[in-house]
Amino acid sequence: MSGIWHLASGIALALAAGLTAAAGEAPAQDKAAPDPLAVERAMGELRSGDWILQWRAMRRLADWRVADAAPAIREVLGRDKRPWLRGRALVALATLMGEGVFNEVAHFAKAGEPELRAAACQALGVIGADRAAPLLAERLADREPAVRQQALVALARVQRAAAWEAVVKHLGDEDPEMVRHGAQALGYVGTPEAAARLLELLGHDHAGVRADAALTLGRIRPREAIPPLLGRMAADPDTNV
């Protein structure tokens, strides 16, 4: 893959992070019932050929549950040559159709392109079916870090508290990106022990881990997190945190 495409994918991921209110959740304004003009505009963007507009349109149409968008999203999945954008189409279809696309998503979990495997893991988490757990456990051993990261979060979305052991062993990983995704996963585990570990991660050496811990605590809202979050707001050297 070219360096330009790596850069483009990075920009898109940064945009996704900026537009997302909390880890794994779509912004509230995108989940509101759309007016017909907004749907028509998004459908036009989906067919535009501009990958950023297509990505945004697929995300919005899926969150709005616009069933008529499924054929156009499926066309991106089947015909586009860019693995990252195809992966976004796969996640959008999972959001839109749920278990109706489980077998298709499971097939992509073993695709040759790591972008598609990572997207398939994310899509399996969106679908949330128990039968996804073995596939996700397999992808936790994937050679690509991005795939392992998505598999960890998705496994927690599927198994909830039962994913505790799988998640907690990655919280001390040498790769801070894996720890960041572990922090996101703890929000889906949803136990008091998970909340306690998130409070510990507020003191992590890596600013990105601290930021994801704060975002996840904001999503699950344990009252005991308020004093540590206020303290971190006042004293953390990183403005993003």
Side-chain angles (χ1 to χ4, degrees):
M1 182 184 296
S2 71
I4 292 174
W5 180 244
H6 273 304
L7 177 61
S9 296
I11 292 170
L13 289 172
L15 285 169
L19 288 171
T20 302
E25 299 294 327
Q29 64 267 28
D30 279 2
K31 288 186 176 181
D35 61 73
L37 181 59
V39 172
E40 183 179 350
R41 185 183 302 118
M43 291 294 290
E45 291 177 349
L46 181 54
R47 298 185 175 96
S48 69
D50 182 308
W51 64 275
I52 293 180
L53 292 179
Q54 287 177 298
W55 160 69
R56 183 176 68 176
M58 288 189 293
R59 188 174 59 87
R60 287 177 170 174
L61 290 164
D63 286 337
W64 291 338
R65 301 297 190 271
V66 180
D68 289 346
I73 295 173
R74 195 176 288 282
E75 185 173 346
V76 173
L77 176 61
R79 296 187 182 182
D80 199 277
K81 296 180 179 180
R82 295 162 290 191
W84 187 86
L85 191 63
R86 293 178 68 202
R88 295 308 89 203
L90 191 63
V91 174
L93 282 174
T95 304
L96 192 57
M97 302 176 68
E99 283 208 63
V101 291
F102 180 91
N103 291 337
E104 192 171 357
V105 171
H107 168 76
F108 280 105
K110 298 185 179 182
E113 300 93 336
E115 297 92 340
L116 285 173
R117 297 199 303 277
C121 290
Q122 186 180 355
L124 288 170
V126 169
I127 293 170
D130 290 340
R131 56 183 171 149
L135 292 169
L136 294 168
E138 183 179 342
R139 294 276 66 84
L140 278 175
D142 197 279
R143 65 183 180 274
E144 289 289 335
V147 180
R148 298 196 298 271
Q149 293 156 16
Q150 292 297 334
L152 186 63
V153 176
L155 187 66
R157 294 186 76 169
V158 169
Q159 291 193 316
R160 303 290 174 171
W164 165 255
E165 293 294 337
V167 173
V168 75
K169 73 178 184 179
H170 290 286
L171 298 181
D173 201 286
E174 293 181 0
D175 179 5
E177 288 301 314
M178 194 66 177
V179 184
R180 290 184 68 172
H181 284 77
Q184 296 171 26
L186 286 171
Y188 294 109
V189 171
T191 62
E193 293 79 10
R197 291 304 296 266
L198 283 167
L199 291 173
E200 292 176 13
L201 290 175
L202 283 177
H204 197 276
D205 290 341
H206 192 275
V209 174
R210 300 197 301 276
D212 273 316
L215 280 170
T216 305
L217 286 166
R219 180 163 62 84
I220 64 175
R221 301 182 180 184
R223 292 187 62 83
E224 64 271 21
I226 294 174
L229 285 169
L230 289 171
R232 185 56 57 185
M233 286 174 64
D236 199 281
D238 189 280
T239 55
N240 289 322
V241 178

